[in-house]
Amino acid sequence: MNFKPNLFDKKGGAYARISHEETNSAVKLAAELKNILPAGISCRPIVFVCIGTDRSTGDSLGPLVGTLLEEKSISSFHVYGTLEDPIHAVNLEEKLSEIKKKHFNPYIIGIDACLGRLKSVGVIQIGEGPVKPGAGVNKDLPEVGDMHITGIVNVSGFMEFFVLQNTRLNLVLKMAKTIAGGIYEASLHHQTAPAWPAFKWELNREQTP
């Protein structure tokens, strides 16, 4: 959970804000995701790390997104962090280590909830640079991702933990559905480079008379 959405450097690269209430918000998020992904990314596995816990309503955005994506069974992206197997402060470093051992040179997109201004509640932010779990509460946790997607689920500035516990699940679920829908839409148009054995097999087949 990030308590301060301005922890991300908006001047350092591509950055977009989309309200979950906008018409076709999932489609817009998919377009922004594809726009921010660097050229040649098809050569690297794309991994979504959904951070949070179902023990706090406001902090459940990440694992809700992960669960919704898991149910969609997308094949072009890899997803970690669900309601059943969440990624949170206690196991974050361990999970990141496992991901980097399993995937060669992954392009990681961190997904997390955050608190912000009242007028920004319900806004989904997507941009270059990592998500910084725990930065708002002085926890020394590793940064996550080459890109981030965050959702502003409630208001910051006063009794943040209490605010998180009393965040409406209805809002968090709607935002999670928008994010998951956008990622799924992007996955339909994303082409991954074939694995070397598959590429070699195709080459041999073309050379066979």
Side-chain angles (χ1 to χ4, degrees):
M1 160 62 69
N2 286 276
F3 286 162
K4 300 177 182 178
N6 60 355
L7 289 170
F8 308 110
D9 183 7
K10 301 177 186 177
K11 298 179 181 179
Y15 181 88
R17 290 164 59 91
I18 302 167
S19 171
H20 79 285
E21 295 181 324
E22 289 182 29
T23 303
N24 297 323
S25 55
V27 175
K28 293 177 182 177
L29 190 146
E32 292 295 344
L33 178 60
K34 290 184 288 184
N35 181 54
I36 296 175
L37 284 172
I41 192 61
S42 61
C43 298
R44 299 172 63 184
I46 295 179
V47 177
F48 287 87
V49 178
C50 306
I51 304 164
T53 173
D54 59 351
R55 294 178 182 272
S56 170
T57 309
D59 204 17
S60 64
L61 178 68
L64 277 171
V65 172
T67 298
L68 292 170
L69 290 175
E70 188 177 63
E71 291 174 353
K72 292 178 182 293
S73 300
I74 57 177
S75 58
S76 51
F77 299 148
H78 307 276
V79 180
Y80 294 87
T82 63
L83 292 173
E84 183 176 358
D85 186 17
I87 297 177
H88 43 67
V90 176
N91 66 2
L92 179 60
E93 292 190 48
E94 177 187 352
K95 291 291 187 179
L96 288 177
S97 178
E98 290 177 3
I99 289 169
K100 291 176 181 178
K101 286 180 181 178
K102 186 173 182 179
H103 303 284
F104 175 72
N105 191 28
Y107 186 90
I108 296 177
I109 301 173
I111 300 177
D112 199 4
C114 67
L115 301 178
R117 297 179 180 179
L118 178 61
K119 65 180 182 180
S120 296
V121 173
V123 169
I124 297 164
Q125 305 173 126
I126 176 171
E128 296 177 339
V131 68
K132 303 176 182 179
V137 287
N138 298 317
K139 288 186 178 180
D140 186 19
L141 298 175
E143 297 181 347
V144 179
D146 304 280
M147 181 192 297
H148 65 267
I149 300 175
T150 58
I152 303 175
V153 298
N154 214 326
V155 181
S156 64
F158 181 71
M159 298 180 67
E160 279 90 352
F161 285 108
F162 180 78
V163 170
L164 281 177
Q165 295 289 348
N166 288 274
T167 297
R168 291 200 63 195
L169 179 59
N170 181 54
L171 171 64
V172 178
L173 182 58
K174 285 181 178 179
M175 295 179 72
K177 287 181 177 179
T178 297
I179 295 171
I183 293 171
Y184 176 72
E185 180 72 20
S187 75
L188 298 178
H189 304 283
H190 179 74
Q191 294 183 345
T192 57
W196 172 246
F199 174 76
K200 186 176 181 180
W201 181 83
E202 290 287 348
L203 183 62
N204 290 338
R205 188 176 66 169
E206 290 179 3
Q207 293 176 344
T208 301

